[in-house]
């Protein structure tokens, strides 16, 4: 998303200014052309040379440093900026921005740009809570600027409080999320989407379980894409290993029965349910509370397995008018034939079939290839891609096929 975009980072004078260097690096790594403008106070905390080396661009500080006769530097930068980020934003710069004051290179460029502006404040807690700052921040929001709230934690003053600059990775994630939303124009806005992810674990004893190779990556990718496309997303996940995408709510479960309970509770408030999780068909009838000892006989250990509820089938058979239920089918042979049988048996609106005999895609891989089978008999083949890219294609296909209105 950042390749070829012009990102301008405005650094103002606070102790957190050093963190702006990491943020700049993240944008450069993502393919953006990054320009940096600094206030004179910011230069007391970090040198312009750091940013020049990171961006390979000259850093802008002085409004009257007009070394190119055919350009007015701050207007030129304002016009070429696609996204502006003020980081850290001091109470002083926030006050100037809220009142349209343009008395240095940073504030003049910010007043002149029509690009989206993200403001990331960092300051002492009492300065953040001061009625003047509260008023100014409110004004910025009313003026259409996006304010990324400061974090709570250990402040430079030696005590805990609100006012810390969020970590650069978090700022990068939030800005990327909101810019992606802007780019995709939120076609899923107003929809509540429930997605399951990961392989369930059926406990045998406190240290052993029956599970499968599902990593949860496909479910998380669909959740991230749905959130970018404007939906409110609730993820029911068996894994805690993956980063929860920005804006997504998560409920952690372990077994199929726990997943069944969580999904059943959330389903009535859901518009679209997508069952990506690899759910165990059976659970161990008698779970031992103690670690099972090696058996001293030759017949080995017998485990009695009982059938788990079929969650997808239950949703398909109980959905109300307007609710959409989508399942996956993980097959190793006769992929489309078995997927079609699942579509009918489980009364799903769509089954997304994948051939899990191919180790390059499917379980625990970063890539995937799927075929959508709709209840109207349409078949949509989506070619192999990264799970993140494919997830966007899946939502786009569901919209094109009018499965989602
Ligand atoms: O997690 P990853 O590593 O990224 O891998 C992705 C994936 C391979 C797990 C995914 O693409 C996939 O195929 N998910 C479905 C796995 C599966 O259990 O398929 P199934 O054919 O056994 O089940 C069919 C459908 O019924 C699935 O939507 C499943 O969630 C659902 N089901 C199954 C059993 C059960 N008791 N209840 C269910 O709801």
């Amino acid at each position: 998303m950042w390749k070829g975009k012009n990102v301008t980072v405005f650094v103002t004078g606070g102790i957190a200014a050093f963190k702006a260097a990491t943020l700049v690096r993240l944008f450069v790594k993502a393919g953006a052309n990054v320009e940096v403008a600094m206030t004179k106070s910011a230069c007391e905390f970090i040198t312009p040379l750091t940013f020049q080396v990171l961006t390979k661009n000259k850093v802008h500080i002085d409004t009257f440093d007009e070394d190119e006769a055919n350009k007015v530097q701050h207007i030129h930068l304002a016009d070429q900026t696609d996204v502006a980020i003020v980081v850290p934003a001091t109470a002083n710069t926030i006050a100037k921005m809220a009142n349209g004051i343009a008395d240095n290179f940073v504030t003049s460029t910010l007043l002149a740009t029509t690009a989206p502006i993200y403001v990331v404040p960092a300051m002492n807690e009492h300065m953040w809570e001061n009625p003047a700052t509260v008023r100014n921040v409110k004004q910025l929001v009313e003026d259409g600027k996006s304010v990324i709230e400061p974090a709570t934690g250990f402040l430079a003053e030696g005590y805990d409080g609100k006012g810390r600059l969020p970590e650069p990775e978090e700022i990068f994630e939030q800005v990327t999320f909101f810019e992606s939303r802007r780019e995709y124009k939120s076609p899923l806005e107003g929809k509540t989407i429930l997605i399951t992810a990961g392989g369930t674990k059926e406990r045998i004893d406190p240290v052993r379980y029956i599970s499968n190779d599902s990593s949860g990556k496909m479910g998380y990718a669909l959740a991230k894409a749905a959130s970018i496309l404007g939906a409110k997303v609730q993820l029911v996940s068996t894994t805690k290993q993956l980063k929860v995408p920005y804006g997504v709510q998560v409920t952690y479960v372990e077994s199929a029965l726990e997943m069944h309970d969580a999904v059943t509770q959330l389903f009535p408030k859901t518009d679209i349910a997508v069952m990506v999780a690899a759910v165990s068909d059976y659970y161990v009838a008698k779970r031992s509370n103690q670690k099972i000892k090696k058996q001293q006989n030759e017949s080995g250990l017998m485990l009695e397995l009982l059938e788990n509820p079929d969650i997808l089938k239950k949703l398909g058979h109980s959905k109300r008018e307007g609710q959409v239920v989508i399942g996956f089918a993980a097959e190793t042979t006769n992929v489309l034939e078995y997927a079609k049988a699942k579509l009918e048996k489980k009364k799903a609106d769509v089954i997304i079939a994948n051939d899990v005999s191919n180790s390059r895609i499917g379980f625990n891989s970063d890539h995937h290839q799927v075929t959508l089978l709709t209840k109207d008999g349409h078949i949509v083949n989506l070619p192999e891609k990264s799970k993140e890219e494919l997830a966007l294609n899946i939502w786009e296909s569901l919209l094109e096929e009018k499965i989602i209105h």
Side-chain angles (χ1 to χ4, degrees):
M1 106 132 278
W2 291 110
K3 271 205 178 74
K5 291 259 169 70
N6 293 311
V7 174
T8 305
V9 175
F10 295 88
V11 187
T12 71
I15 183 67
F18 74 96
K19 286 192 185 173
T22 308
L23 183 67
V24 163
R25 229 172 61 84
L26 290 171
F27 280 106
V28 170
K29 207 169 149 208
N33 169 49
V34 184
E35 298 268 354
V36 173
M38 300 172 75
T39 60
K40 294 229 165 79
S41 327
C43 302
E44 300 287 331
F45 292 95
I46 183 165
T47 70
L49 186 61
T50 304
F51 293 113
Q52 184 177 308
V53 171
L54 289 174
T55 62
K56 315 279 181 290
N57 285 320
K58 187 182 161 227
V59 174
H60 309 269
I61 301 160
D62 188 346
T63 321
F64 301 103
D65 185 9
E66 297 287 5
D67 51 3
E68 288 177 80
N70 58 343
K71 283 178 195 153
V72 177
Q73 284 299 333
H74 68 281
I75 300 297
H76 177 69
L77 183 62
D79 288 347
Q80 77 153 45
T81 297
D82 295 315
V83 177
I85 309 166
V86 192
V87 56
T90 57
N92 183 42
T93 294
I94 288 172
K96 289 180 187 176
M97 287 175 75
N99 290 285
I101 293 170
D103 65 346
N104 59 32
F105 191 96
V106 164
T107 48
S108 305
T109 312
L110 286 167
L111 195 64
T113 190
T114 53
I117 299 178
Y118 292 84
V119 180
V120 198
M123 63 193 75
N124 170 271
E125 183 177 40
H126 305 305
M127 289 168 91
W128 174 248
E129 286 171 352
N130 188 295
T133 307
V134 172
R135 218 168 35 241
N136 292 331
V137 170
K138 190 164 167 266
Q139 187 61 54
L140 289 186
V141 174
E142 277 172 23
D143 291 347
K145 318 279 187 282
S146 304
V147 176
I148 297 179
E149 287 262 315
T152 301
F154 192 67
L155 300 173
E157 295 77 356
Y159 52 83
D160 276 0
K162 187 166 180 178
R164 269 176 70 85
L165 192 82
E167 291 310 312
E169 291 74 13
E170 209 175 300
I171 300 170
F172 179 76
E173 191 192 359
Q174 284 199 38
V175 174
T176 304
F177 173 79
F178 287 112
E179 285 307 299
S180 306
R181 255 203 179 174
R182 195 191 303 277
E183 192 172 311
Y184 287 101
K185 303 189 170 37
S186 303
L188 296 179
E189 192 159 8
K191 302 282 183 218
T192 301
I193 299 183
L194 168 62
I195 296 173
T196 62
T200 57
K201 283 182 185 169
E202 307 302 329
R203 287 273 163 202
I204 300 170
D205 70 17
V207 291
R208 301 183 181 100
Y209 54 79
I210 299 170
S211 190
N212 57 66
D213 285 332
S214 169
S215 60
K217 287 178 191 170
M218 192 65 232
Y220 275 64
L222 278 164
K224 181 176 176 182
S227 183
I228 285 171
L229 296 177
K232 186 173 163 216
V233 183
Q234 178 73 55
L235 191 58
V236 176
S237 170
T238 61
T239 177
K240 291 185 177 169
Q241 305 298 320
L242 299 176
K243 188 167 178 353
V244 179
Y246 183 77
V248 170
Q249 299 269 327
V250 66
T251 306
Y252 291 111
V253 295
E254 189 174 271
S255 65
L257 282 169
E258 283 175 22
M259 181 171 279
H260 167 269
D261 292 350
V263 167
T264 306
Q265 207 196 339
L266 293 163
F267 189 56
K269 292 194 201 109
T270 296
D271 299 305
I272 303 154
V274 192
M275 303 293 296
V276 195
V279 184
S280 172
D281 289 323
Y282 297 97
Y283 70 96
V284 181
K286 286 196 193 92
R287 175 187 162 173
S288 170
N289 289 331
Q290 306 301 331
K291 182 178 173 219
I292 298 173
K293 291 280 172 211
K294 192 168 177 184
Q295 306 297 295
Q296 297 305 322
N297 58 52
E298 282 183 5
S299 58
L301 172 70
M302 300 295 283
L303 287 176
E304 189 192 351
L305 300 179
L306 296 177
E307 204 171 325
N308 269 321
D310 187 324
I311 310 169
L312 176 63
K313 189 171 169 194
K314 183 176 165 187
L315 301 188
H317 284 257
S318 65
K319 67 181 187 221
R320 58 167 199 273
E321 182 74 28
Q323 269 182 319
V324 174
V325 171
I326 298 168
F328 269 68
E331 309 294 350
T332 51
T333 53
N334 306 331
V335 177
L336 293 188
E337 188 191 324
Y338 289 149
K340 189 165 179 286
K342 280 181 181 157
L343 179 76
E344 284 157 14
K345 194 169 140 211
K346 305 199 186 204
K347 281 202 171 176
D349 294 279
V350 176
I351 284 284
I352 302 177
N354 46 184
D355 181 352
V356 288
S357 67
N358 178 353
S359 61
R360 258 182 337 129
I361 59 166
F363 286 108
N364 206 11
S365 137
D366 289 331
H367 287 79
H368 215 1
Q369 187 274 315
V370 297
T371 303
L372 275 57
L373 284 81
T374 76
K375 63 177 181 195
D376 304 326
H378 291 194
I379 294 182
V380 182
N381 279 307
L382 296 178
E384 186 182 326
K385 285 200 177 153
S386 74
K387 284 182 176 165
E388 295 223 341
E389 282 175 280
L390 186 72
L392 278 165
N393 292 163
I394 290 174
W395 289 117
E396 280 160 2
S397 298
L398 293 168
L399 287 157
E400 267 165 35
E401 287 292 315
K402 308 229 176 316
I403 300 291
I404 303 170
H405 306 275

